Structures are given as structure tokens and as C-alpha cells.
Amino acid sequence: FNNNIEGTQIAIDNDNVMYHRICWGASGQWGAWKSDSVGENSKNRILPTLSLFQKVGVVGDSYASGELAFDGQYVDHYEISWLQILARKDGFTGTNFSKGGMSTRTWLTNQNCMPLMQSSDAQELYILALGINDEALGNSYIGNEADIDNGADTFYGNYGKIIKAIQAKSPQAKLVIATIADNSDIATKFNE
């Protein structure tokens, strides 16, 4: 979204291996991914925490909203969502811009999600956790990277709209995009 960036990207895989890469200067070129083991025998025992942020927001679906289902009733329980649990643990204020059942398409059109994000305080970190419900829309909904700029009604295009809205609201905010917690073929395509 910005070719003149400097920053660091961090990822942690299912085996608890942390990877990082750095981008310096106006070239906008990211360096190679390097791994940092954080296992039992590692010298690097610093595990990730969100305690350096004061305000963290999550854009997401039921996985982000603490949704539970009983007797066919789906209810969001934000107070027990993972964001609020981390907020209590790490001492930041967490704001859920999430709702069960949301896809990138419906998050943009929902009468609560986008308006709440736009009317709330700017956050220092936004975690984007959408995609599970996008899978149901199939392979044809994925689109391609060009859709980020052309605003197409695809996964790429709608995620691009969400990210641009966040950047307009809070230009200095850090963004984390969560992958889909599924290992199906279509989830792999959405995660890529």
C-alpha cells in the first residue's frame, strides 16, 4: 500500500518459530525472512506481547468477537474474546470492530462495524482477522492483487478497502493480518 516504507514484519508459525524481515529506505524492498527460534532451548525467550500498545482494535468475524452458539442462537461475547483477554493480560484498551458472520464484503456494508471503527479513537495497532466466511464465497471471490487498487468486489479488493479506511483513520497505526485458522485448499489460497 506504500512503496516508501520502513518497518519490520514479524510472523510466528505453528511450531513457535518467529520470523522477521526488515525494509529500509525509499527502495521499498523487503529483506529476506530470517527465523528466530523461541523454543525451550533457545537463547531468544522473548515471546510476543501487545503490552507496548495502549490501544488495539480488531477487525474480524466470530473468531474475533467471542461468538458462542447455544440452541441455534449465535451471540457475540466481546468480554471473553481473545482481544479482551489479551487486553486484560497486557494492559491495553482493546476495541472489537468485529461481529460474527462477517466477511470482507459484509464488514464493509454492516451498519455497525465500519461506522464504529470510523467513530472510535484511532488505534495504535489494528489486527485484521477476516477470511473464514470469505471462504464460503469460493475461489472466484479471491480476485488478485490488482483489485487492491481498483476496488473490485473481491477478497483482495475488499480487504484493500478496509486497510485503506484504517490508514485514513490512523496513518501511523501498525497492521497485523491474521491468516485463516484452517488448512483446507481454499483457506491456503486465501491465506496466500
Side-chain angles (χ1 to χ4, degrees):
F1 295 98
N2 181 353
N3 290 334
N4 294 318
I5 56 175
E6 292 183 355
T8 302
Q9 293 179 335
I10 299 171
I12 300 173
D13 69 12
N14 291 342
D15 296 322
N16 205 28
V17 176
M18 183 165 57
Y19 298 87
H20 72 275
R21 68 180 184 168
I22 300 172
C23 177
W24 295 105
S27 72
Q29 298 296 312
W30 288 95
W33 284 102
K34 296 181 181 178
S35 68
D36 301 308
S37 176
V38 290
E40 291 281 329
N41 299 321
S42 171
K43 294 177 190 173
N44 182 359
R45 295 292 297 152
I46 301 172
L47 297 175
T49 178
L50 298 178
S51 62
L52 68 125
F53 298 101
Q54 293 179 10
K55 296 178 183 179
V56 178
V58 64
V59 171
D61 52 31
S62 61
Y63 278 48
S65 65
E67 184 174 277
L68 298 173
F70 295 103
D71 300 325
Q73 299 294 313
Y74 295 86
V75 179
D76 292 326
H77 295 275
Y78 296 105
E79 69 281 0
I80 61 167
S81 68
W82 53 263
L83 178 70
Q84 297 308 322
I85 292 168
L86 289 172
R88 290 189 293 272
K89 176 185 165 282
D90 290 343
F92 62 83
T93 300
T95 304
N96 291 79
F97 307 115
S98 58
K99 183 171 175 23
M102 292 293 104
S103 67
T104 52
R105 177 184 286 157
T106 58
W107 192 91
L108 286 165
T109 59
N110 180 274
Q111 60 184 326
N112 296 318
C113 294
M114 176 73 92
L116 177 60
M117 194 266 306
Q118 291 175 326
S119 66
S120 295
D121 290 342
Q123 306 294 300
E124 297 168 330
L125 171 69
Y126 289 86
I127 302 170
L128 291 87
L130 290 165
I132 292 171
N133 298 306
D134 295 271
E135 285 182 272
L137 299 171
N139 284 321
S140 63
Y141 180 65
I142 294 174
N144 57 59
E145 288 185 40
D147 295 343
I148 294 168
D149 292 323
N150 68 31
D153 181 23
T154 65
F155 183 69
Y156 273 101
N158 289 329
Y159 234 135
K161 291 173 197 172
I162 293 167
I163 291 170
K164 288 174 184 174
I166 291 169
Q167 289 175 325
K169 173 72 179 181
S170 184
Q172 299 301 311
K174 306 302 179 210
L175 303 177
V176 172
I177 300 176
T179 55
I180 300 168
D182 183 2
N183 61 359
S184 67
D185 290 341
I186 193 165
T188 300
K189 290 177 184 176
F190 275 90
N191 285 340
E192 288 172 0

